Amino acid sequence: MTEEQENKDNETPEEELVDQLDSGETENSDEEVTPLSVAEAEINDLRDKLLRAVAETENVRRRSEKEKADAANYAMTNFARDMLAVGDNLHRALESLPENEELSDNVKTLIEGVNMTGRELNNIFERHGIEKIDPKGEAFDHNHHQAMFEAETDDPNGTVIQVMQVGYKIKNRLLRPAMVGVSKGGSEKAHEGIDTKA
């Protein structure tokens, strides 16, 4: 290895850039290159890389905080959705009881137990941020209600006239829409902004 090659291997990046500029290997041969301008260019490049790295780190931190909050709020969504079926069955069991019929003490005790279980289930739902959607008499909202039928009534157009199955939401996320019947025709004074075709 010659002395010139050895010196070339030991050059710093700034010296290499100066050598390239002197030999005309760069595009802008009109600009004068000094060690100071090379250092400033490298500082600007490093500053740009640092700012990009800081911004990316901040984005990752924000994203992971949002994912953590969503996991805390909605981790039990599937379990809660399955538990709604249990509540529905308790409600159906109570509705299926014959009216005006004399029941034995054992059956009355069983009914009271089913009632208490249903109340406790509703209390647990409330403790965990699961809210019931029971919109009878309210304006139809396609974000929370699912229209099962329309019927002509005297109620204003787009009013929920019957709730066939209550809905539920957890925090701000819908678990299950309320299955409803909606008024059609009726009063000309319809609810504003109602989309009954959604």
Side-chain angles (χ1 to χ4, degrees):
M1 180 182 290
T2 66
E3 188 179 335
E4 187 180 329
Q5 287 174 329
E6 194 173 322
N7 288 342
K8 197 164 184 75
D9 288 342
N10 293 332
E11 281 183 343
T12 63
E14 291 85 358
E15 292 171 336
E16 285 180 18
L17 185 57
V18 172
D19 285 347
Q20 289 175 355
L21 291 168
D22 289 343
S23 63
E25 293 178 22
T26 60
E27 295 174 5
N28 296 331
S29 56
D30 296 343
E31 296 178 14
E32 185 180 337
V33 175
T34 63
L36 180 61
S37 65
V38 170
E40 285 175 351
E42 189 172 341
I43 287 170
N44 289 335
D45 184 48
L46 290 173
R47 182 181 292 124
D48 182 57
K49 287 178 182 174
L50 176 65
L51 291 174
R52 288 174 191 272
V54 168
E56 180 63 26
T57 304
E58 185 63 19
N59 287 341
V60 168
R61 185 187 64 76
R62 282 193 195 130
R63 218 173 12 249
S64 45
E65 280 179 2
K66 185 182 182 311
E67 286 170 5
K68 182 181 173 184
D70 283 351
N73 288 331
Y74 306 115
M76 63 177 181
T77 298
N78 289 334
F79 177 72
R81 196 172 283 128
D82 290 341
M83 290 304 294
L84 297 181
V86 175
D88 291 340
N89 288 334
L90 290 172
H91 186 67
R92 283 189 202 103
L94 293 172
E95 284 185 336
S96 68
L97 291 171
E99 292 181 23
N100 304 324
E101 190 172 309
E102 189 62 35
L103 302 171
S104 69
D105 290 341
N106 289 342
V107 174
K108 288 179 183 175
T109 305
L110 176 65
I111 292 169
E112 184 57 33
V114 172
N115 268 320
M116 288 172 60
T117 305
R119 283 194 299 269
E120 182 61 25
L121 186 62
N122 286 331
N123 291 339
I124 290 169
F125 283 166
E126 285 176 19
R127 271 201 310 269
H128 291 282
I130 299 169
E131 297 175 43
K132 187 186 282 190
I133 303 171
D134 192 358
K136 187 165 185 181
E138 297 177 9
F140 178 80
D141 177 3
H142 67 273
N143 293 314
H144 296 107
H145 312 148
Q146 183 174 342
M148 304 305 290
F149 68 89
E150 286 185 315
E152 292 190 11
T153 66
D154 293 333
D155 296 299
N157 222 359
T159 301
V160 174
I161 54 173
Q162 183 181 349
V163 178
M164 285 133 56
Q165 186 179 55
V166 295
Y168 288 89
K169 62 182 180 177
I170 181 169
K171 309 288 183 191
N172 296 320
R173 191 176 289 180
L174 187 68
L175 273 176
R176 180 179 79 189
M179 308 285 190
V180 299
V182 182
S183 68
K184 175 183 177 186
S187 162
E188 289 298 318
K189 188 179 174 183
H191 291 291
E192 292 181 16
I194 305 292
D195 180 9
T196 55
K197 293 180 181 158

